[in-house]
Amino acid sequence: GEDVEQSLFLSVREGDSSVINCTYTDSSSTYLYWYKQEPGAGLQLLTYIFSNMDMKQDQRLTVLLNKKDKHLSLRIADTQTGDSAIYFCAEYRLTGGGNKLTFGTGTQLKVEL
Amino acid sequence: GAGVSQSPSNKVTEKGKDVELRCDPISGHTALYWYRQSLGQGLEFLIYFQGNSAPDKSGLPSDRFSAERTGGSVSTLTIQRTQQEDSAVYLCASSYRQQETQYFGPGTRLLVL
């Protein structure tokens, strides 16, 4: 189908790791992105991965890509209360005239003390 | 440098009125994108500009929606005869070139009464 799917909610304790999962649809997607959205704010780019990679690490963030299963995950190590937000995965798709990002539904991460 | 800026940050209007939303992309970015974020539809692509031309208008929901970009910089999204279902957050993004990472502005929150 056309949809990029994510689970809607995730709750973790401060200090634990969080893993947010995403299933995308277009096997020809070249880039896959993770964006963070805090309440009342726009989208903040967290990280991205090129489709010929299977892992990317950036400080507390680890992105894993399983291209065969079209599965993307974001792991946040040592999760903090400031990580509470909605996390969107997005796949970059070429359209007939250009390009666009297709977003997942977003996963709301709640970090509890 | 400065990020993507959007104005107004909030807009309340009456059903049937026209509204204009403005986006200032990051200086030097040639590609500009409009997305809409609403409760029922999630994040949807609206339109994409490369320079001043819009090769992909596929996401515009109706002919009440139009957008233009002048001087390869500022873009305006116009909604005519607004309806209550137009209430959403309208997000603008820009990228240095097509197919490169998109950076988002804070959005304009539109409420149609």
Side-chain angles (χ1 to χ4, degrees), chain A residues 36-62:
Chain A
K36 175 184 180 183
Q37 186 176 40
E38 296 181 76
L43 294 172
Q44 174 195 347
L45 175 68
L46 283 180
T47 187
Y48 63 91
I49 189 167
F50 189 56
S51 59
N52 68 353
M53 301 168 64
D54 51 21
M55 187 181 89
K56 181 180 180 181
Q57 188 152 2
D58 183 1
Q59 299 181 340
R60 292 190 298 122
L61 304 178
T62 303

Side-chain angles (χ1 to χ4, degrees), chain A residues 64-85:
Chain A
L64 295 177
L65 175 61
N66 180 328
K67 200 171 178 184
K68 173 176 169 289
D69 294 337
K70 298 180 195 165
H71 184 263
L72 182 72
S73 68
L74 174 69
R75 179 177 180 268
I76 306 172
D78 187 26
T79 313
Q80 302 298 306
T81 54
D83 295 324
S84 293

Side-chain angles (χ1 to χ4, degrees), chain A residues 10-14 16-19 79 109-113:
Chain A
L10 177 64
S11 179
V12 299
R13 289 192 178 276
E14 189 177 40
D16 288 350
S17 292
S18 308
V19 179
T79 313
L109 174 64
K110 181 179 178 183
V111 182
E112 299 175 326
L113 296 171

Side-chain angles (χ1 to χ4, degrees), chain A residues 30-31 33 35 37 40-43 45 48 88 92 94-101 103-104, chain B residues 33 35 37 43-45 48 55-56 58 89 91 98-107 109:
Chain A
T30 53
Y31 287 95
Y33 295 86
Y35 285 87
Q37 186 176 40
L43 294 172
L45 175 68
Y48 63 91
F88 292 92
Y92 170 82
L94 282 171
T95 68
N99 67 95
K100 66 177 182 180
L101 287 174
F103 288 88
Chain B
Y33 313 79
Y35 294 85
Q37 186 176 26
L43 269 158
E44 305 170 88
F45 168 80
Y48 151 70
D56 189 353
S58 63
V89 178
L91 292 163
Q98 182 182 348
Q99 299 189 38
E100 296 200 2
T101 300
Q102 297 178 26
Y103 296 91
F104 282 78
R109 283 150 191 79

